[in-house]
Amino acid sequence: MTFRHLFVDAFVPPESPEPHYWFETRRPFCNLVFLLPLLLVYELGVLFLGGAESDSFRNGADAWMRQFLLRLGIDLLWLLPVSLIGALLFWQWASRQPWRMSWDTFGGMIAESLLFAFALILLGQAVDSCFRQSATHLLQVEGSGWTNGVVVRSVTFLGAGIYEEFLFRLCLIPITYAGFRALLVPHRWSVGATIVLTSLVFSLAHYLGTPDQGYSISLLTDAVARVRSTRALWFSFVFRTIAGMFFAALFFLRGFGITVGAHAAYDVIVGAVLISEL
């Protein structure tokens, strides 16, 4: 089983003579072009708003990964965005896809990102109704305690969407899928198991503690114990697991760029816009 079969063909559609929007959105180059503006807005926004204290504006997987790198003695501000860009460039090279993207594809990806973000909001409200609690309160995004303006919160949540998808979807999903395929698990079963497993890890990662305490796989059992013993966390855990499955399915079906766009749009809408109206 070759590298191309494990990591490329499962996530990138075969090249066709004529561009087709449904397939174009899954191509690495289209993902890269779509994500570059979001990445620039976030990274430049953090530097502009935070200055020397820019790390205090970082949230989610961005803060987790930077803290992990610091523990390894690596303190390079540009390493994570360059790694994200480099991963997509390598994926593009390995997939042997054309280096092209139309404005129609770009606009369609924006529209789909917003559509799926609102779909996730409605899904969250449906899950919330099952728990018979306040949807507005429970849909609040982790880290929404910033009170110094919609712009600051928007930049912060934008980064959370980008880097959580980088870590849990672009990195973790292909590795997990390849592991199942290496064990000769059929493709469809590998996809399903990958979606469930990575979504559980995605949800549990939000209960590992604070960045100062460090993050590691060994702490997942502590996160499980924390969720099981704290009834107030059950809704957020269930919803994050469902959200993880939602994003993982998007990654397989609609590509990495739309998945990031939907996650970032959801975080900004719920964590910045809606919360500011309370």
Side-chain angles (χ1 to χ4, degrees), residues 5 35 41 43 61 65 69 76 87 92 97 100 117 169 173 179 201 204 211 219 228 239 242 259 264-265 274:
H5 181 68
L35 292 178
V41 168
E43 293 293 345
M65 290 188 288
L69 292 173
L76 298 175
Q92 170 68 20
Q97 297 290 320
R100 65 169 185 252
R169 253 59 73 176
I173 278 183
V201 173
L204 287 172
L219 293 178
R228 288 182 58 188
F239 175 68
I242 293 174
T259 306
L274 296 183

PDB file of all heavy atoms in Angstrom, residues 5 35 41 43 61 65 69 76 87 92 97 100 117 169 173 179 201 204 211 219 228 239 242 259 264-265 274:
ATOM      1  N   HIS A   5      -1.521   6.132  -2.121  1.00  0.00           N
ATOM      2  CA  HIS A   5      -2.830   5.516  -1.871  1.00  0.00           C
ATOM      3  C   HIS A   5      -3.341   5.839  -0.472  1.00  0.00           C
ATOM      4  O   HIS A   5      -4.537   6.070  -0.276  1.00  0.00           O
ATOM      5  CB  HIS A   5      -2.721   3.999  -2.045  1.00  0.00           C
ATOM      6  CG  HIS A   5      -4.021   3.285  -1.821  1.00  0.00           C
ATOM      7  ND1 HIS A   5      -5.096   3.401  -2.671  1.00  0.00           N
ATOM      8  CD2 HIS A   5      -4.432   2.476  -0.810  1.00  0.00           C
ATOM      9  CE1 HIS A   5      -6.099   2.679  -2.231  1.00  0.00           C
ATOM     10  NE2 HIS A   5      -5.735   2.106  -1.096  1.00  0.00           N
ATOM     11  N   LEU A  35      -7.344  29.705   2.112  1.00  0.00           N
ATOM     12  CA  LEU A  35      -6.951  29.895   3.509  1.00  0.00           C
ATOM     13  C   LEU A  35      -5.941  31.012   3.719  1.00  0.00           C
ATOM     14  O   LEU A  35      -5.860  31.559   4.825  1.00  0.00           O
ATOM     15  CB  LEU A  35      -6.377  28.590   4.070  1.00  0.00           C
ATOM     16  CG  LEU A  35      -7.361  27.439   4.227  1.00  0.00           C
ATOM     17  CD1 LEU A  35      -6.644  26.194   4.733  1.00  0.00           C
ATOM     18  CD2 LEU A  35      -8.478  27.816   5.182  1.00  0.00           C
ATOM     19  N   VAL A  41      -4.946  37.447   7.960  1.00  0.00           N
ATOM     20  CA  VAL A  41      -5.760  38.287   8.851  1.00  0.00           C
ATOM     21  C   VAL A  41      -5.515  37.906  10.301  1.00  0.00           C
ATOM     22  O   VAL A  41      -5.358  38.782  11.170  1.00  0.00           O
ATOM     23  CB  VAL A  41      -7.257  38.168   8.495  1.00  0.00           C
ATOM     24  CG1 VAL A  41      -8.119  38.801   9.593  1.00  0.00           C
ATOM     25  CG2 VAL A  41      -7.534  38.836   7.156  1.00  0.00           C
ATOM     26  N   GLU A  43      -2.848  36.100  11.750  1.00  0.00           N
ATOM     27  CA  GLU A  43      -1.488  36.290  12.235  1.00  0.00           C
ATOM     28  C   GLU A  43      -1.129  37.778  12.340  1.00  0.00           C
ATOM     29  O   GLU A  43      -0.544  38.215  13.334  1.00  0.00           O
ATOM     30  CB  GLU A  43      -0.487  35.569  11.324  1.00  0.00           C
ATOM     31  CG  GLU A  43      -0.589  34.050  11.356  1.00  0.00           C
ATOM     32  CD  GLU A  43      -0.183  33.463  12.699  1.00  0.00           C
ATOM     33  OE1 GLU A  43       0.436  34.172  13.509  1.00  0.00           O
ATOM     34  OE2 GLU A  43      -0.499  32.277  12.942  1.00  0.00           O
ATOM     35  N   ALA A  61      -6.079  25.404  19.507  1.00  0.00           N
ATOM     36  CA  ALA A  61      -4.948  24.582  19.083  1.00  0.00           C
ATOM     37  C   ALA A  61      -3.703  25.416  18.814  1.00  0.00           C
ATOM     38  O   ALA A  61      -2.588  24.907  18.957  1.00  0.00           O
ATOM     39  CB  ALA A  61      -5.324  23.787  17.840  1.00  0.00           C
ATOM     40  N   MET A  65      -0.351  24.104  20.540  1.00  0.00           N
ATOM     41  CA  MET A  65       0.823  23.691  19.783  1.00  0.00           C
ATOM     42  C   MET A  65       2.031  24.570  20.072  1.00  0.00           C
ATOM     43  O   MET A  65       3.169  24.092  20.153  1.00  0.00           O
ATOM     44  CB  MET A  65       0.506  23.674  18.285  1.00  0.00           C
ATOM     45  CG  MET A  65      -0.452  22.562  17.880  1.00  0.00           C
ATOM     46  SD  MET A  65      -0.657  22.383  16.085  1.00  0.00           S
ATOM     47  CE  MET A  65      -1.624  23.850  15.708  1.00  0.00           C
ATOM     48  N   LEU A  69       5.620  23.370  21.561  1.00  0.00           N
ATOM     49  CA  LEU A  69       6.903  23.690  20.926  1.00  0.00           C
ATOM     50  C   LEU A  69       7.844  24.389  21.894  1.00  0.00           C
ATOM     51  O   LEU A  69       9.063  24.150  21.893  1.00  0.00           O
ATOM     52  CB  LEU A  69       6.676  24.558  19.686  1.00  0.00           C
ATOM     53  CG  LEU A  69       5.978  23.864  18.500  1.00  0.00           C
ATOM     54  CD1 LEU A  69       5.665  24.868  17.404  1.00  0.00           C
ATOM     55  CD2 LEU A  69       6.852  22.742  17.950  1.00  0.00           C
ATOM     56  N   LEU A  76       9.667  29.872  17.635  1.00  0.00           N
ATOM     57  CA  LEU A  76       9.668  30.514  16.325  1.00  0.00           C
ATOM     58  C   LEU A  76       8.250  30.949  15.999  1.00  0.00           C
ATOM     59  O   LEU A  76       7.368  30.105  15.811  1.00  0.00           O
ATOM     60  CB  LEU A  76      10.194  29.558  15.254  1.00  0.00           C
ATOM     61  CG  LEU A  76      11.646  29.082  15.433  1.00  0.00           C
ATOM     62  CD1 LEU A  76      11.993  28.042  14.371  1.00  0.00           C
ATOM     63  CD2 LEU A  76      12.612  30.253  15.367  1.00  0.00           C
ATOM     64  N   ALA A  87       2.474  22.124   4.529  1.00  0.00           N
ATOM     65  CA  ALA A  87       1.724  20.874   4.447  1.00  0.00           C
ATOM     66  C   ALA A  87       0.818  20.870   3.215  1.00  0.00           C
ATOM     67  O   ALA A  87       0.721  19.865   2.501  1.00  0.00           O
ATOM     68  CB  ALA A  87       0.903  20.673   5.715  1.00  0.00           C
ATOM     69  N   GLN A  92      -0.221  19.254  -2.319  1.00  0.00           N
ATOM     70  CA  GLN A  92      -0.453  19.611  -3.708  1.00  0.00           C
ATOM     71  C   GLN A  92       0.562  18.928  -4.629  1.00  0.00           C
ATOM     72  O   GLN A  92       0.208  18.372  -5.671  1.00  0.00           O
ATOM     73  CB  GLN A  92      -0.378  21.134  -3.877  1.00  0.00           C
ATOM     74  CG  GLN A  92      -0.366  21.635  -5.302  1.00  0.00           C
ATOM     75  CD  GLN A  92      -1.677  21.410  -6.026  1.00  0.00           C
ATOM     76  OE1 GLN A  92      -2.715  21.212  -5.398  1.00  0.00           O
ATOM     77  NE2 GLN A  92      -1.651  21.430  -7.361  1.00  0.00           N
ATOM     78  N   GLN A  97      -1.887  17.544  -8.708  1.00  0.00           N
ATOM     79  CA  GLN A  97      -3.077  18.247  -9.175  1.00  0.00           C
ATOM     80  C   GLN A  97      -2.677  19.549  -9.876  1.00  0.00           C
ATOM     81  O   GLN A  97      -1.600  20.087  -9.642  1.00  0.00           O
ATOM     82  CB  GLN A  97      -3.994  18.555  -7.993  1.00  0.00           C
ATOM     83  CG  GLN A  97      -4.535  17.321  -7.279  1.00  0.00           C
ATOM     84  CD  GLN A  97      -5.525  16.567  -8.118  1.00  0.00           C
ATOM     85  OE1 GLN A  97      -6.359  17.154  -8.796  1.00  0.00           O
ATOM     86  NE2 GLN A  97      -5.438  15.248  -8.087  1.00  0.00           N
ATOM     87  N   ARG A 100      -4.375  25.577 -10.265  1.00  0.00           N
ATOM     88  CA  ARG A 100      -5.341  26.543 -10.773  1.00  0.00           C
ATOM     89  C   ARG A 100      -6.520  26.639  -9.821  1.00  0.00           C
ATOM     90  O   ARG A 100      -6.832  25.714  -9.077  1.00  0.00           O
ATOM     91  CB  ARG A 100      -5.833  26.131 -12.166  1.00  0.00           C
ATOM     92  CG  ARG A 100      -6.620  24.817 -12.165  1.00  0.00           C
ATOM     93  CD  ARG A 100      -7.328  24.574 -13.496  1.00  0.00           C
ATOM     94  NE  ARG A 100      -8.151  23.376 -13.429  1.00  0.00           N
ATOM     95  CZ  ARG A 100      -7.883  22.240 -14.037  1.00  0.00           C
ATOM     96  NH1 ARG A 100      -6.809  22.136 -14.803  1.00  0.00           N
ATOM     97  NH2 ARG A 100      -8.704  21.205 -13.915  1.00  0.00           N
ATOM     98  N   ALA A 117     -21.556  26.795   8.634  1.00  0.00           N
ATOM     99  CA  ALA A 117     -21.462  27.401   9.963  1.00  0.00           C
ATOM    100  C   ALA A 117     -22.845  27.580  10.571  1.00  0.00           C
ATOM    101  O   ALA A 117     -23.075  27.249  11.741  1.00  0.00           O
ATOM    102  CB  ALA A 117     -20.735  28.746   9.874  1.00  0.00           C
ATOM    103  N   ARG A 169      -7.851  17.823  11.900  1.00  0.00           N
ATOM    104  CA  ARG A 169      -8.317  17.302  10.630  1.00  0.00           C
ATOM    105  C   ARG A 169      -7.157  17.080   9.645  1.00  0.00           C
ATOM    106  O   ARG A 169      -6.948  15.951   9.193  1.00  0.00           O
ATOM    107  CB  ARG A 169      -9.355  18.245  10.035  1.00  0.00           C
ATOM    108  CG  ARG A 169     -10.773  17.731  10.106  1.00  0.00           C
ATOM    109  CD  ARG A 169     -11.266  17.456  11.517  1.00  0.00           C
ATOM    110  NE  ARG A 169     -11.538  18.676  12.274  1.00  0.00           N
ATOM    111  CZ  ARG A 169     -12.053  18.697  13.505  1.00  0.00           C
ATOM    112  NH1 ARG A 169     -12.343  17.561  14.133  1.00  0.00           N
ATOM    113  NH2 ARG A 169     -12.270  19.832  14.127  1.00  0.00           N
ATOM    114  N   ILE A 173      -6.454  13.265  10.992  1.00  0.00           N
ATOM    115  CA  ILE A 173      -7.317  12.396  10.191  1.00  0.00           C
ATOM    116  C   ILE A 173      -6.512  11.540   9.212  1.00  0.00           C
ATOM    117  O   ILE A 173      -6.711  10.311   9.157  1.00  0.00           O
ATOM    118  CB  ILE A 173      -8.407  13.219   9.476  1.00  0.00           C
ATOM    119  CG1 ILE A 173      -9.556  13.496  10.446  1.00  0.00           C
ATOM    120  CG2 ILE A 173      -8.936  12.480   8.247  1.00  0.00           C
ATOM    121  CD1 ILE A 173     -10.727  14.236   9.833  1.00  0.00           C
ATOM    122  N   GLY A 179      -3.564   4.505   9.490  1.00  0.00           N
ATOM    123  CA  GLY A 179      -3.384   3.438  10.459  1.00  0.00           C
ATOM    124  C   GLY A 179      -4.416   2.338  10.283  1.00  0.00           C
ATOM    125  O   GLY A 179      -4.075   1.138  10.302  1.00  0.00           O
ATOM    126  N   VAL A 201     -11.259  12.597  20.265  1.00  0.00           N
ATOM    127  CA  VAL A 201     -10.013  13.242  20.691  1.00  0.00           C
ATOM    128  C   VAL A 201     -10.161  14.761  20.632  1.00  0.00           C
ATOM    129  O   VAL A 201      -9.723  15.479  21.540  1.00  0.00           O
ATOM    130  CB  VAL A 201      -8.835  12.776  19.810  1.00  0.00           C
ATOM    131  CG1 VAL A 201      -7.570  13.565  20.137  1.00  0.00           C
ATOM    132  CG2 VAL A 201      -8.586  11.287  20.003  1.00  0.00           C
ATOM    133  N   LEU A 204     -12.303  15.800  23.669  1.00  0.00           N
ATOM    134  CA  LEU A 204     -11.590  15.625  24.940  1.00  0.00           C
ATOM    135  C   LEU A 204     -10.451  16.626  25.088  1.00  0.00           C
ATOM    136  O   LEU A 204     -10.109  17.010  26.218  1.00  0.00           O
ATOM    137  CB  LEU A 204     -11.045  14.199  25.041  1.00  0.00           C
ATOM    138  CG  LEU A 204     -12.072  13.097  25.293  1.00  0.00           C
ATOM    139  CD1 LEU A 204     -11.427  11.729  25.163  1.00  0.00           C
ATOM    140  CD2 LEU A 204     -12.704  13.265  26.679  1.00  0.00           C
ATOM    141  N   PRO A 211      -2.987  25.729  29.009  1.00  0.00           N
ATOM    142  CA  PRO A 211      -1.716  25.586  28.315  1.00  0.00           C
ATOM    143  C   PRO A 211      -0.522  25.500  29.257  1.00  0.00           C
ATOM    144  O   PRO A 211       0.447  24.808  28.980  1.00  0.00           O
ATOM    145  CB  PRO A 211      -1.661  26.846  27.439  1.00  0.00           C
ATOM    146  CG  PRO A 211      -3.083  27.215  27.220  1.00  0.00           C
ATOM    147  CD  PRO A 211      -3.790  26.858  28.506  1.00  0.00           C
ATOM    148  N   LEU A 219      -2.922  12.555  29.059  1.00  0.00           N
ATOM    149  CA  LEU A 219      -3.891  13.276  29.869  1.00  0.00           C
ATOM    150  C   LEU A 219      -5.328  13.071  29.396  1.00  0.00           C
ATOM    151  O   LEU A 219      -6.267  13.571  30.023  1.00  0.00           O
ATOM    152  CB  LEU A 219      -3.571  14.776  29.860  1.00  0.00           C
ATOM    153  CG  LEU A 219      -2.266  15.192  30.561  1.00  0.00           C
ATOM    154  CD1 LEU A 219      -2.055  16.688  30.431  1.00  0.00           C
ATOM    155  CD2 LEU A 219      -2.296  14.791  32.018  1.00  0.00           C
ATOM    156  N   ARG A 228     -16.840  12.809  32.929  1.00  0.00           N
ATOM    157  CA  ARG A 228     -17.761  11.859  33.568  1.00  0.00           C
ATOM    158  C   ARG A 228     -18.216  12.341  34.941  1.00  0.00           C
ATOM    159  O   ARG A 228     -19.366  12.116  35.339  1.00  0.00           O
ATOM    160  CB  ARG A 228     -17.077  10.499  33.706  1.00  0.00           C
ATOM    161  CG  ARG A 228     -16.904   9.734  32.410  1.00  0.00           C
ATOM    162  CD  ARG A 228     -16.263   8.384  32.658  1.00  0.00           C
ATOM    163  NE  ARG A 228     -17.055   7.581  33.579  1.00  0.00           N
ATOM    164  CZ  ARG A 228     -16.650   6.419  34.081  1.00  0.00           C
ATOM    165  NH1 ARG A 228     -15.459   5.941  33.758  1.00  0.00           N
ATOM    166  NH2 ARG A 228     -17.437   5.741  34.901  1.00  0.00           N
ATOM    167  N   PHE A 239     -21.744  18.006  22.401  1.00  0.00           N
ATOM    168  CA  PHE A 239     -21.811  18.912  21.253  1.00  0.00           C
ATOM    169  C   PHE A 239     -20.471  18.995  20.532  1.00  0.00           C
ATOM    170  O   PHE A 239     -20.416  18.996  19.297  1.00  0.00           O
ATOM    171  CB  PHE A 239     -22.260  20.307  21.683  1.00  0.00           C
ATOM    172  CG  PHE A 239     -22.214  21.297  20.548  1.00  0.00           C
ATOM    173  CD1 PHE A 239     -23.097  21.182  19.482  1.00  0.00           C
ATOM    174  CD2 PHE A 239     -21.274  22.311  20.523  1.00  0.00           C
ATOM    175  CE1 PHE A 239     -23.057  22.070  18.418  1.00  0.00           C
ATOM    176  CE2 PHE A 239     -21.226  23.202  19.468  1.00  0.00           C
ATOM    177  CZ  PHE A 239     -22.120  23.082  18.417  1.00  0.00           C
ATOM    178  N   ILE A 242     -20.023  15.906  18.433  1.00  0.00           N
ATOM    179  CA  ILE A 242     -20.849  15.996  17.225  1.00  0.00           C
ATOM    180  C   ILE A 242     -20.253  17.009  16.256  1.00  0.00           C
ATOM    181  O   ILE A 242     -20.201  16.765  15.039  1.00  0.00           O
ATOM    182  CB  ILE A 242     -22.294  16.374  17.594  1.00  0.00           C
ATOM    183  CG1 ILE A 242     -22.951  15.237  18.380  1.00  0.00           C
ATOM    184  CG2 ILE A 242     -23.108  16.688  16.342  1.00  0.00           C
ATOM    185  CD1 ILE A 242     -24.329  15.564  18.907  1.00  0.00           C
ATOM    186  N   THR A 259     -13.839  23.239   5.407  1.00  0.00           N
ATOM    187  CA  THR A 259     -13.919  22.842   6.812  1.00  0.00           C
ATOM    188  C   THR A 259     -13.372  23.935   7.715  1.00  0.00           C
ATOM    189  O   THR A 259     -13.992  24.290   8.726  1.00  0.00           O
ATOM    190  CB  THR A 259     -13.136  21.537   7.049  1.00  0.00           C
ATOM    191  OG1 THR A 259     -13.589  20.538   6.133  1.00  0.00           O
ATOM    192  CG2 THR A 259     -13.338  21.035   8.468  1.00  0.00           C
ATOM    193  N   ALA A 264     -14.136  28.395  11.421  1.00  0.00           N
ATOM    194  CA  ALA A 264     -13.790  29.769  11.773  1.00  0.00           C
ATOM    195  C   ALA A 264     -15.026  30.662  11.787  1.00  0.00           C
ATOM    196  O   ALA A 264     -15.209  31.493  12.688  1.00  0.00           O
ATOM    197  CB  ALA A 264     -12.743  30.316  10.800  1.00  0.00           C
ATOM    198  N   ALA A 265     -15.900  30.496  10.791  1.00  0.00           N
ATOM    199  CA  ALA A 265     -17.118  31.308  10.731  1.00  0.00           C
ATOM    200  C   ALA A 265     -18.018  31.008  11.918  1.00  0.00           C
ATOM    201  O   ALA A 265     -18.589  31.928  12.532  1.00  0.00           O
ATOM    202  CB  ALA A 265     -17.854  31.045   9.422  1.00  0.00           C
ATOM    203  N   LEU A 274     -22.581  36.915  18.357  1.00  0.00           N
ATOM    204  CA  LEU A 274     -23.750  36.634  19.195  1.00  0.00           C
ATOM    205  C   LEU A 274     -23.499  36.944  20.659  1.00  0.00           C
ATOM    206  O   LEU A 274     -24.359  37.481  21.348  1.00  0.00           O
ATOM    207  CB  LEU A 274     -24.179  35.171  19.023  1.00  0.00           C
ATOM    208  CG  LEU A 274     -24.657  34.766  17.637  1.00  0.00           C
ATOM    209  CD1 LEU A 274     -25.117  33.323  17.637  1.00  0.00           C
ATOM    210  CD2 LEU A 274     -25.777  35.680  17.169  1.00  0.00           C
TER     211      LEU A 274
END
